[in-house]
């Protein structure tokens, strides 16, 4: 493959934020889709240290709620701008015991996923186990999902966070993954690829194995939620006043029967 001819031989280091997308966009053409633009958050070691310095870990125990503080350090960890040990040290020094333990537990998930990747290699991109229900998944991401026009305000917002911010809260990732796999009956690998395309923290191990955890090919049962759960952890943000035909309404037993054919 020959190199494009109109590239600068060296990319200048003194470009302004306004110039960067154009110059880097040309240099990296073909490696990504969509227009070249700066990420929603700055990259680099200094930005990583700033974000770490701003994170106290206070109230992290309530991290499942979208309004509770999380560190948003994942993209810096993913790209090696800070190490898990550095992060752990800062959090250990500062926060309350229960918050601290919860935070270290999440960091440990990241390390665990990496160990699984190291042990299983490319196999993490195939079902590690059989799904725990009779799953019939189609391979492609539906266009209405990709374009955030499902008509469900919650699902469309999750996709918009992904494509515009390159970031989704962990609970949104879980809800979206469950929606795609169990409600839309799409193979988890289509969701994995969609995340990998857009997430600034896109990471082979955490991404693939989290999708498999939701799908039940790396866990004992499929992860799912209902409307009450979404409303509770989002302070009713999308549910209050929602007029869409909500597919998440119902008890867990009702939804399990509908989605997985399990009778209570
Ligand atoms: C379907 C799905 C796909 C995911 N894909 C990715 C991915 O590509 N890259 C990625 O880094 N994380 C992924 N995660 C895990 C998690 O959602 C993100 O790490 C977290 O939301 C990042 O936000 P934060 O830095 O504010 O996390 P915090 O809550 O502040 O946690 C601190 C750090 O711990 C690690 N961490 C937290 N939660 C998890 C978790 N559940 N699993 C593994 N590590 C965790 C991350 O490195 C994170 O930066 C995925 C989760 C799901 C459900």
């Amino acid at each position: 493959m020959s190199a494009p001819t109109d590239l600068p031989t060296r990319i200048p280091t003194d470009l302004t934020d306004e110039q960067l997308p154009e110059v880097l966009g040309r240099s990296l053409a073909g490696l990504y889709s969509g227009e070249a633009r700066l990420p929603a958050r700055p990259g680099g070691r200094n930005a990583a240290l700033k974000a770490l310095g701003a994170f106290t870990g206070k109230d992290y125990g309530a991290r499942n709620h979208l309004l509770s503080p999380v560190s948003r350090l994942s993209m810096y960890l993913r790209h090696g701008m800070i190490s898990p040990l550095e992060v752990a040290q800062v959090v250990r020094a500062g926060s309350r015991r229960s918050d601290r333990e919860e935070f270290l537990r999440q960091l440990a998930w990241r390390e665990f996923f990496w160990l699984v990747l190291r042990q299983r290699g490319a196999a993490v991109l195939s079902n590690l186990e059989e799904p725990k229900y009779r799953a019939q998944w189609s391979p492609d991401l539906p266009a209405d999902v990709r374009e955030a026009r499902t008509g469900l305000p919650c699902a469309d917002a999750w996709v918009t966070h992904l494509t515009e911010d390159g970031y989704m809260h962990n609970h949104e990732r879980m809800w979206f993954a469950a929606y795609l796999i169990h409600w839309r009956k799409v193979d988890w690998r289509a969701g994995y690829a969609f995340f990998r395309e857009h997430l600034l923290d896109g990471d082979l191990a955490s991404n693939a194995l989290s999708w498999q955890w939701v799908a039940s090919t790396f866990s004992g049962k499929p992860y799912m939620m209902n409307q009450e759960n979404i409303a509770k952890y989002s302070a009713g943000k999308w549910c209050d006043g929602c007029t869409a035909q909500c597919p998440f309404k119902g008890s867990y037993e009702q939804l399990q029967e509908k989605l997985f054919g399990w009778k209570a």
Side-chain angles (χ1 to χ4, degrees):
M1 196 173 76
S2 58
T5 48
D6 59 343
L7 288 183
T9 42
R10 283 181 60 233
I11 296 176
T13 52
D14 56 352
L15 295 172
T16 63
D17 280 359
E18 288 69 36
Q19 294 167 320
L20 262 174
E22 209 270 318
V23 176
L24 285 181
R26 266 193 298 133
S27 310
L28 302 174
L31 292 177
Y32 61 92
S33 57
E35 65 179 291
R37 58 186 163 92
L38 288 179
R41 305 191 89 203
R45 169 83 177 158
N46 288 340
L49 290 177
K50 200 167 157 199
L52 180 58
F55 180 65
T56 62
K58 189 168 174 294
D59 297 332
Y60 185 79
R63 71 183 183 95
N64 277 329
H65 201 290
L66 299 194
L67 298 180
S68 291
V70 287
S71 71
R72 295 201 57 166
L73 290 171
S74 51
M75 73 175 200
Y76 301 115
L77 284 161
R78 158 65 181 84
H79 296 284
M81 297 299 120
I82 39 172
S83 75
L85 277 181
E86 264 179 307
V87 173
Q89 262 163 12
V90 167
V91 171
R92 263 202 201 105
S95 51
R96 224 176 21 193
R97 186 169 168 195
S98 54
D99 293 330
R100 195 163 63 217
E101 285 179 355
E102 183 59 25
F103 188 84
L104 295 177
R105 206 174 358 258
Q106 297 314 312
L107 268 188
W109 272 108
R110 179 181 186 276
E111 299 308 294
F112 168 67
F113 289 149
W114 266 93
L115 289 175
V116 176
L117 174 66
R118 201 165 73 179
Q119 206 168 49
R120 305 296 301 267
V124 303
L125 293 174
S126 306
N127 287 347
L128 287 174
E129 295 165 14
E130 286 301 310
K132 309 304 178 301
Y133 67 103
R134 204 185 293 271
Q136 283 190 314
W137 297 324
S138 56
D140 299 320
L141 188 70
D144 66 315
V145 174
R146 174 178 285 283
E147 291 158 17
R149 48 177 184 78
T150 63
L152 302 174
C154 54
D156 292 346
W158 304 330
V159 171
T160 306
H161 293 164
L162 174 69
T163 56
E164 290 187 3
D165 304 340
Y167 177 83
M168 278 165 113
H169 187 280
N170 181 60
H171 222 151
E172 293 183 330
R173 297 184 202 211
M174 288 162 57
W175 291 330
F176 176 75
Y179 168 62
L180 193 69
I181 301 170
H182 308 316
W183 273 268
R184 300 299 300 266
K185 313 219 172 298
V186 174
D187 192 302
W188 63 265
R189 276 159 288 212
Y192 159 85
F194 188 39
F195 271 22
R196 200 156 160 81
E197 193 181 322
H198 292 285
L199 280 178
L200 293 173
D201 63 25
D203 169 270
L204 208 167
S206 290
N207 192 11
L209 293 166
S210 299
W211 276 93
Q212 297 225 42
W213 179 82
V214 173
S216 78
T217 53
F218 187 53
S219 60
K221 61 174 187 175
Y223 166 79
M224 56 166 292
M225 71 292 181
N226 65 5
Q227 188 255 348
E228 213 178 301
N229 177 273
I230 298 173
K232 176 176 171 189
Y233 288 102
S234 63
K237 182 171 170 174
W238 302 293
C239 303
D240 294 351
C242 179
T243 54
Q245 185 134 24
C246 180
F248 310 122
K249 267 200 178 130
S251 66
Y252 278 90
E253 290 74 20
Q254 287 166 337
L255 291 172
Q256 277 169 353
E257 183 171 348
K258 190 167 144 197
L259 300 174
F260 312 131
W262 295 347
K263 296 232 186 285

